PDB file of all heavy atoms in Angstrom:
ATOM      1  N   THR A 223     117.547 108.871  81.235  1.00 94.00           N
ATOM      2  CA  THR A 223     116.445 108.609  82.145  1.00 94.00           C
ATOM      3  C   THR A 223     116.328 107.122  82.431  1.00 94.00           C
ATOM      4  O   THR A 223     116.383 106.298  81.515  1.00 94.00           O
ATOM      5  CB  THR A 223     115.119 109.129  81.574  1.00 94.00           C
ATOM      6  OG1 THR A 223     115.233 110.534  81.311  1.00 94.00           O
ATOM      7  CG2 THR A 223     113.988 108.915  82.567  1.00 94.00           C
ATOM      8  N   GLY A 224     116.155 106.797  83.688  1.00 95.00           N
ATOM      9  CA  GLY A 224     115.878 105.443  84.105  1.00 95.00           C
ATOM     10  C   GLY A 224     114.456 105.331  84.603  1.00 95.00           C
ATOM     11  O   GLY A 224     113.840 106.324  85.006  1.00 95.00           O
ATOM     12  N   TYR A 225     113.937 104.112  84.578  1.00 97.00           N
ATOM     13  CA  TYR A 225     112.551 103.883  84.960  1.00 97.00           C
ATOM     14  C   TYR A 225     112.444 102.653  85.838  1.00 97.00           C
ATOM     15  O   TYR A 225     113.220 101.705  85.719  1.00 97.00           O
ATOM     16  CB  TYR A 225     111.662 103.678  83.732  1.00 97.00           C
ATOM     17  CG  TYR A 225     111.729 104.784  82.720  1.00 97.00           C
ATOM     18  CD1 TYR A 225     112.572 104.690  81.614  1.00 97.00           C
ATOM     19  CD2 TYR A 225     110.954 105.926  82.860  1.00 97.00           C
ATOM     20  CE1 TYR A 225     112.634 105.704  80.679  1.00 97.00           C
ATOM     21  CE2 TYR A 225     111.013 106.946  81.933  1.00 97.00           C
ATOM     22  CZ  TYR A 225     111.856 106.830  80.843  1.00 97.00           C
ATOM     23  OH  TYR A 225     111.917 107.844  79.917  1.00 97.00           O
ATOM     24  N   LEU A 226     111.462 102.686  86.693  1.00 98.00           N
ATOM     25  CA  LEU A 226     111.076 101.514  87.454  1.00 98.00           C
ATOM     26  C   LEU A 226     109.563 101.396  87.373  1.00 98.00           C
ATOM     27  O   LEU A 226     108.840 102.174  87.998  1.00 98.00           O
ATOM     28  CB  LEU A 226     111.531 101.609  88.911  1.00 98.00           C
ATOM     29  CG  LEU A 226     111.243 100.374  89.758  1.00 98.00           C
ATOM     30  CD1 LEU A 226     112.103  99.197  89.290  1.00 98.00           C
ATOM     31  CD2 LEU A 226     111.487 100.657  91.238  1.00 98.00           C
ATOM     32  N   GLN A 227     109.105 100.447  86.581  1.00 98.00           N
ATOM     33  CA  GLN A 227     107.687 100.172  86.468  1.00 98.00           C
ATOM     34  C   GLN A 227     107.294  99.218  87.582  1.00 98.00           C
ATOM     35  O   GLN A 227     107.850  98.124  87.685  1.00 98.00           O
ATOM     36  CB  GLN A 227     107.360  99.565  85.105  1.00 98.00           C
ATOM     37  CG  GLN A 227     105.899  99.195  84.916  1.00 98.00           C
ATOM     38  CD  GLN A 227     104.996 100.400  84.855  1.00 98.00           C
ATOM     39  OE1 GLN A 227     105.309 101.366  84.181  1.00 98.00           O
ATOM     40  NE2 GLN A 227     103.885 100.349  85.569  1.00 98.00           N
ATOM     41  N   MET A 228     106.340  99.616  88.388  1.00 98.00           N
ATOM     42  CA  MET A 228     105.921  98.837  89.540  1.00 98.00           C
ATOM     43  C   MET A 228     104.460  98.461  89.373  1.00 98.00           C
ATOM     44  O   MET A 228     103.582  99.329  89.362  1.00 98.00           O
ATOM     45  CB  MET A 228     106.132  99.617  90.836  1.00 98.00           C
ATOM     46  CG  MET A 228     107.562 100.117  91.017  1.00 98.00           C
ATOM     47  SD  MET A 228     107.834 100.887  92.636  1.00 98.00           S
ATOM     48  CE  MET A 228     106.738 102.298  92.503  1.00 98.00           C
ATOM     49  N   ASN A 229     104.211  97.180  89.241  1.00 98.00           N
ATOM     50  CA  ASN A 229     102.863  96.660  89.108  1.00 98.00           C
ATOM     51  C   ASN A 229     102.516  95.800  90.316  1.00 98.00           C
ATOM     52  O   ASN A 229     103.390  95.359  91.056  1.00 98.00           O
ATOM     53  CB  ASN A 229     102.729  95.829  87.831  1.00 98.00           C
ATOM     54  CG  ASN A 229     102.983  96.620  86.577  1.00 98.00           C
ATOM     55  OD1 ASN A 229     102.657  97.808  86.491  1.00 98.00           O
ATOM     56  ND2 ASN A 229     103.562  95.970  85.570  1.00 98.00           N
ATOM     57  N   SER A 230     101.234  95.552  90.471  1.00 98.00           N
ATOM     58  CA  SER A 230     100.750  94.706  91.563  1.00 98.00           C
ATOM     59  C   SER A 230     101.337  95.130  92.898  1.00 98.00           C
ATOM     60  O   SER A 230     101.839  94.315  93.678  1.00 98.00           O
ATOM     61  CB  SER A 230     101.073  93.235  91.274  1.00 98.00           C
ATOM     62  OG  SER A 230     100.488  92.813  90.064  1.00 98.00           O
ATOM     63  N   LEU A 231     101.268  96.404  93.166  1.00 98.00           N
ATOM     64  CA  LEU A 231     101.884  96.939  94.365  1.00 98.00           C
ATOM     65  C   LEU A 231     101.215  96.412  95.624  1.00 98.00           C
ATOM     66  O   LEU A 231     100.000  96.185  95.661  1.00 98.00           O
ATOM     67  CB  LEU A 231     101.843  98.462  94.339  1.00 98.00           C
ATOM     68  CG  LEU A 231     102.887  99.096  93.421  1.00 98.00           C
ATOM     69  CD1 LEU A 231     102.519 100.537  93.103  1.00 98.00           C
ATOM     70  CD2 LEU A 231     104.269  99.032  94.066  1.00 98.00           C
ATOM     71  N   LYS A 232     102.031  96.242  96.641  1.00 97.00           N
ATOM     72  CA  LYS A 232     101.599  95.731  97.926  1.00 97.00           C
ATOM     73  C   LYS A 232     101.915  96.745  99.015  1.00 97.00           C
ATOM     74  O   LYS A 232     102.835  97.551  98.870  1.00 97.00           O
ATOM     75  CB  LYS A 232     102.317  94.412  98.245  1.00 97.00           C
ATOM     76  CG  LYS A 232     102.150  93.328  97.196  1.00 97.00           C
ATOM     77  CD  LYS A 232     102.985  92.104  97.543  1.00 97.00           C
ATOM     78  CE  LYS A 232     102.834  91.022  96.497  1.00 97.00           C
ATOM     79  NZ  LYS A 232     103.660  89.831  96.827  1.00 97.00           N
ATOM     80  N   PRO A 233     101.184  96.713 100.111  1.00 96.00           N
ATOM     81  CA  PRO A 233     101.496  97.639 101.198  1.00 96.00           C
ATOM     82  C   PRO A 233     102.946  97.569 101.660  1.00 96.00           C
ATOM     83  O   PRO A 233     103.510  98.599 102.049  1.00 96.00           O
ATOM     84  CB  PRO A 233     100.531  97.213 102.307  1.00 96.00           C
ATOM     85  CG  PRO A 233      99.367  96.653 101.571  1.00 96.00           C
ATOM     86  CD  PRO A 233      99.959  95.948 100.385  1.00 96.00           C
ATOM     87  N   GLU A 234     103.542  96.404 101.610  1.00 94.00           N
ATOM     88  CA  GLU A 234     104.926  96.271 102.027  1.00 94.00           C
ATOM     89  C   GLU A 234     105.911  96.926 101.068  1.00 94.00           C
ATOM     90  O   GLU A 234     107.111  97.004 101.375  1.00 94.00           O
ATOM     91  CB  GLU A 234     105.304  94.799 102.243  1.00 94.00           C
ATOM     92  CG  GLU A 234     104.939  93.898 101.075  1.00 94.00           C
ATOM     93  CD  GLU A 234     103.620  93.185 101.279  1.00 94.00           C
ATOM     94  OE1 GLU A 234     102.652  93.831 101.728  1.00 94.00           O
ATOM     95  OE2 GLU A 234     103.558  91.966 100.996  1.00 94.00           O
ATOM     96  N   ASP A 235     105.441  97.389  99.917  1.00 96.00           N
ATOM     97  CA  ASP A 235     106.281  98.161  99.013  1.00 96.00           C
ATOM     98  C   ASP A 235     106.394  99.620  99.434  1.00 96.00           C
ATOM     99  O   ASP A 235     107.173 100.369  98.840  1.00 96.00           O
ATOM    100  CB  ASP A 235     105.742  98.099  97.582  1.00 96.00           C
ATOM    101  CG  ASP A 235     105.800  96.706  96.982  1.00 96.00           C
ATOM    102  OD1 ASP A 235     106.821  96.013  97.186  1.00 96.00           O
ATOM    103  OD2 ASP A 235     104.832  96.313  96.315  1.00 96.00           O
ATOM    104  N   THR A 236     105.618 100.025 100.405  1.00 96.00           N
ATOM    105  CA  THR A 236     105.654 101.397 100.874  1.00 96.00           C
ATOM    106  C   THR A 236     107.049 101.755 101.373  1.00 96.00           C
ATOM    107  O   THR A 236     107.611 101.067 102.227  1.00 96.00           O
ATOM    108  CB  THR A 236     104.629 101.607 101.987  1.00 96.00           C
ATOM    109  OG1 THR A 236     103.310 101.444 101.456  1.00 96.00           O
ATOM    110  CG2 THR A 236     104.747 103.005 102.586  1.00 96.00           C
ATOM    111  N   ALA A 237     107.598 102.818 100.824  1.00 97.00           N
ATOM    112  CA  ALA A 237     108.947 103.242 101.181  1.00 97.00           C
ATOM    113  C   ALA A 237     109.265 104.519 100.430  1.00 97.00           C
ATOM    114  O   ALA A 237     108.531 104.940  99.536  1.00 97.00           O
ATOM    115  CB  ALA A 237     109.977 102.160 100.822  1.00 97.00           C
ATOM    116  N   VAL A 238     110.377 105.118 100.791  1.00 97.00           N
ATOM    117  CA  VAL A 238     110.978 106.147  99.974  1.00 97.00           C
ATOM    118  C   VAL A 238     111.911 105.452  98.987  1.00 97.00           C
ATOM    119  O   VAL A 238     112.794 104.695  99.393  1.00 97.00           O
ATOM    120  CB  VAL A 238     111.751 107.180 100.810  1.00 97.00           C
ATOM    121  CG1 VAL A 238     112.439 108.197  99.901  1.00 97.00           C
ATOM    122  CG2 VAL A 238     110.812 107.882 101.782  1.00 97.00           C
ATOM    123  N   TYR A 239     111.705 105.698  97.719  1.00 98.00           N
ATOM    124  CA  TYR A 239     112.494 105.069  96.679  1.00 98.00           C
ATOM    125  C   TYR A 239     113.557 106.026  96.164  1.00 98.00           C
ATOM    126  O   TYR A 239     113.274 107.193  95.874  1.00 98.00           O
ATOM    127  CB  TYR A 239     111.602 104.624  95.525  1.00 98.00           C
ATOM    128  CG  TYR A 239     110.837 103.359  95.823  1.00 98.00           C
ATOM    129  CD1 TYR A 239     109.780 103.374  96.733  1.00 98.00           C
ATOM    130  CD2 TYR A 239     111.173 102.155  95.217  1.00 98.00           C
ATOM    131  CE1 TYR A 239     109.091 102.216  97.033  1.00 98.00           C
ATOM    132  CE2 TYR A 239     110.484 100.990  95.506  1.00 98.00           C
ATOM    133  CZ  TYR A 239     109.440 101.028  96.413  1.00 98.00           C
ATOM    134  OH  TYR A 239     108.751  99.872  96.704  1.00 98.00           O
ATOM    135  N   TYR A 240     114.766 105.523  96.045  1.00 98.00           N
ATOM    136  CA  TYR A 240     115.901 106.299  95.586  1.00 98.00           C
ATOM    137  C   TYR A 240     116.490 105.675  94.336  1.00 98.00           C
ATOM    138  O   TYR A 240     116.661 104.457  94.269  1.00 98.00           O
ATOM    139  CB  TYR A 240     117.005 106.348  96.648  1.00 98.00           C
ATOM    140  CG  TYR A 240     116.601 106.959  97.959  1.00 98.00           C
ATOM    141  CD1 TYR A 240     116.048 106.181  98.968  1.00 98.00           C
ATOM    142  CD2 TYR A 240     116.798 108.316  98.194  1.00 98.00           C
ATOM    143  CE1 TYR A 240     115.685 106.741 100.179  1.00 98.00           C
ATOM    144  CE2 TYR A 240     116.443 108.879  99.401  1.00 98.00           C
ATOM    145  CZ  TYR A 240     115.887 108.085 100.390  1.00 98.00           C
ATOM    146  OH  TYR A 240     115.542 108.648 101.589  1.00 98.00           O
ATOM    147  N   CYS A 241     116.816 106.498  93.356  1.00 97.00           N
ATOM    148  CA  CYS A 241     117.618 106.005  92.251  1.00 97.00           C
ATOM    149  C   CYS A 241     119.071 106.342  92.514  1.00 97.00           C
ATOM    150  O   CYS A 241     119.392 107.306  93.220  1.00 97.00           O
ATOM    151  CB  CYS A 241     117.156 106.564  90.902  1.00 97.00           C
ATOM    152  SG  CYS A 241     117.361 108.337  90.672  1.00 97.00           S
ATOM    153  N   ALA A 242     119.934 105.537  91.967  1.00 96.00           N
ATOM    154  CA  ALA A 242     121.363 105.694  92.170  1.00 96.00           C
ATOM    155  C   ALA A 242     122.094 105.282  90.902  1.00 96.00           C
ATOM    156  O   ALA A 242     121.568 104.532  90.079  1.00 96.00           O
ATOM    157  CB  ALA A 242     121.831 104.845  93.358  1.00 96.00           C
ATOM    158  N   ALA A 243     123.310 105.766  90.761  1.00 95.00           N
ATOM    159  CA  ALA A 243     124.096 105.456  89.575  1.00 95.00           C
ATOM    160  C   ALA A 243     125.569 105.429  89.927  1.00 95.00           C
ATOM    161  O   ALA A 243     126.017 106.056  90.890  1.00 95.00           O
ATOM    162  CB  ALA A 243     123.835 106.478  88.468  1.00 95.00           C
ATOM    163  N   VAL A 244     126.309 104.693  89.115  1.00 93.00           N
ATOM    164  CA  VAL A 244     127.749 104.600  89.283  1.00 93.00           C
ATOM    165  C   VAL A 244     128.375 104.407  87.913  1.00 93.00           C
ATOM    166  O   VAL A 244     127.765 103.820  87.006  1.00 93.00           O
ATOM    167  CB  VAL A 244     128.119 103.449  90.242  1.00 93.00           C
ATOM    168  CG1 VAL A 244     127.756 102.094  89.651  1.00 93.00           C
ATOM    169  CG2 VAL A 244     129.575 103.507  90.637  1.00 93.00           C
ATOM    170  N   SER A 245     129.576 104.903  87.741  1.00 89.00           N
ATOM    171  CA  SER A 245     130.240 104.872  86.446  1.00 89.00           C
ATOM    172  C   SER A 245     131.181 103.687  86.269  1.00 89.00           C
ATOM    173  O   SER A 245     131.939 103.644  85.301  1.00 89.00           O
ATOM    174  CB  SER A 245     131.022 106.173  86.226  1.00 89.00           C
ATOM    175  OG  SER A 245     131.996 106.361  87.240  1.00 89.00           O
ATOM    176  N   ARG A 246     131.121 102.735  87.146  1.00 87.00           N
ATOM    177  CA  ARG A 246     131.980 101.562  87.081  1.00 87.00           C
ATOM    178  C   ARG A 246     131.207 100.353  87.574  1.00 87.00           C
ATOM    179  O   ARG A 246     130.260 100.491  88.351  1.00 87.00           O
ATOM    180  CB  ARG A 246     133.226 101.759  87.936  1.00 87.00           C
ATOM    181  CG  ARG A 246     132.906 101.914  89.401  1.00 87.00           C
ATOM    182  CD  ARG A 246     134.106 102.317  90.214  1.00 87.00           C
ATOM    183  NE  ARG A 246     133.774 102.386  91.633  1.00 87.00           N
ATOM    184  CZ  ARG A 246     133.220 103.438  92.213  1.00 87.00           C
ATOM    185  NH1 ARG A 246     132.939 104.523  91.500  1.00 87.00           N
ATOM    186  NH2 ARG A 246     132.955 103.416  93.514  1.00 87.00           N
ATOM    187  N   PRO A 247     131.602  99.168  87.159  1.00 85.00           N
ATOM    188  CA  PRO A 247     130.914  97.978  87.668  1.00 85.00           C
ATOM    189  C   PRO A 247     131.268  97.727  89.119  1.00 85.00           C
ATOM    190  O   PRO A 247     132.318  98.144  89.619  1.00 85.00           O
ATOM    191  CB  PRO A 247     131.436  96.854  86.759  1.00 85.00           C
ATOM    192  CG  PRO A 247     132.763  97.344  86.277  1.00 85.00           C
ATOM    193  CD  PRO A 247     132.622  98.833  86.142  1.00 85.00           C
ATOM    194  N   GLY A 248     130.404  97.037  89.787  1.00 87.00           N
ATOM    195  CA  GLY A 248     130.591  96.703  91.177  1.00 87.00           C
ATOM    196  C   GLY A 248     129.421  95.884  91.681  1.00 87.00           C
ATOM    197  O   GLY A 248     128.536  95.504  90.920  1.00 87.00           O
ATOM    198  N   PRO A 249     129.411  95.591  92.977  1.00 93.00           N
ATOM    199  CA  PRO A 249     128.287  94.837  93.543  1.00 93.00           C
ATOM    200  C   PRO A 249     126.997  95.644  93.450  1.00 93.00           C
ATOM    201  O   PRO A 249     126.769  96.567  94.234  1.00 93.00           O
ATOM    202  CB  PRO A 249     128.719  94.600  94.989  1.00 93.00           C
ATOM    203  CG  PRO A 249     130.206  94.810  95.001  1.00 93.00           C
ATOM    204  CD  PRO A 249     130.466  95.847  93.963  1.00 93.00           C
ATOM    205  N   TYR A 250     126.160  95.278  92.533  1.00 93.00           N
ATOM    206  CA  TYR A 250     124.995  96.090  92.190  1.00 93.00           C
ATOM    207  C   TYR A 250     123.976  96.191  93.307  1.00 93.00           C
ATOM    208  O   TYR A 250     123.189  97.139  93.344  1.00 93.00           O
ATOM    209  CB  TYR A 250     124.321  95.540  90.935  1.00 93.00           C
ATOM    210  CG  TYR A 250     123.905  94.094  91.058  1.00 93.00           C
ATOM    211  CD1 TYR A 250     122.705  93.743  91.650  1.00 93.00           C
ATOM    212  CD2 TYR A 250     124.730  93.080  90.577  1.00 93.00           C
ATOM    213  CE1 TYR A 250     122.330  92.415  91.776  1.00 93.00           C
ATOM    214  CE2 TYR A 250     124.357  91.750  90.699  1.00 93.00           C
ATOM    215  CZ  TYR A 250     123.161  91.424  91.304  1.00 93.00           C
ATOM    216  OH  TYR A 250     122.785  90.108  91.428  1.00 93.00           O
ATOM    217  N   SER A 251     123.958  95.224  94.202  1.00 95.00           N
ATOM    218  CA  SER A 251     122.965  95.224  95.264  1.00 95.00           C
ATOM    219  C   SER A 251     123.435  95.933  96.532  1.00 95.00           C
ATOM    220  O   SER A 251     122.672  96.018  97.492  1.00 95.00           O
ATOM    221  CB  SER A 251     122.563  93.787  95.609  1.00 95.00           C
ATOM    222  OG  SER A 251     123.666  93.043  96.106  1.00 95.00           O
ATOM    223  N   ASP A 252     124.633  96.434  96.526  1.00 95.00           N
ATOM    224  CA  ASP A 252     125.217  97.094  97.686  1.00 95.00           C
ATOM    225  C   ASP A 252     125.150  98.602  97.478  1.00 95.00           C
ATOM    226  O   ASP A 252     125.732  99.127  96.530  1.00 95.00           O
ATOM    227  CB  ASP A 252     126.659  96.640  97.868  1.00 95.00           C
ATOM    228  CG  ASP A 252     127.271  97.110  99.170  1.00 95.00           C
ATOM    229  OD1 ASP A 252     126.731  98.035  99.807  1.00 95.00           O
ATOM    230  OD2 ASP A 252     128.312  96.555  99.556  1.00 95.00           O
ATOM    231  N   PHE A 253     124.458  99.294  98.358  1.00 94.00           N
ATOM    232  CA  PHE A 253     124.320 100.741  98.197  1.00 94.00           C
ATOM    233  C   PHE A 253     125.661 101.449  98.234  1.00 94.00           C
ATOM    234  O   PHE A 253     125.795 102.543  97.667  1.00 94.00           O
ATOM    235  CB  PHE A 253     123.384 101.314  99.268  1.00 94.00           C
ATOM    236  CG  PHE A 253     123.972 101.364 100.644  1.00 94.00           C
ATOM    237  CD1 PHE A 253     124.658 102.482 101.080  1.00 94.00           C
ATOM    238  CD2 PHE A 253     123.836 100.296 101.508  1.00 94.00           C
ATOM    239  CE1 PHE A 253     125.199 102.540 102.353  1.00 94.00           C
ATOM    240  CE2 PHE A 253     124.366 100.342 102.784  1.00 94.00           C
ATOM    241  CZ  PHE A 253     125.057 101.459 103.200  1.00 94.00           C
TER     242      PHE A 253
END
């Protein structure tokens, strides 16, 4: 299980949030 604790939320945080995983290293910020 992974978690994302979100505090001090702002209206601009509104979105659909997706979790993702990969079994090898790579550019972590690239979907």
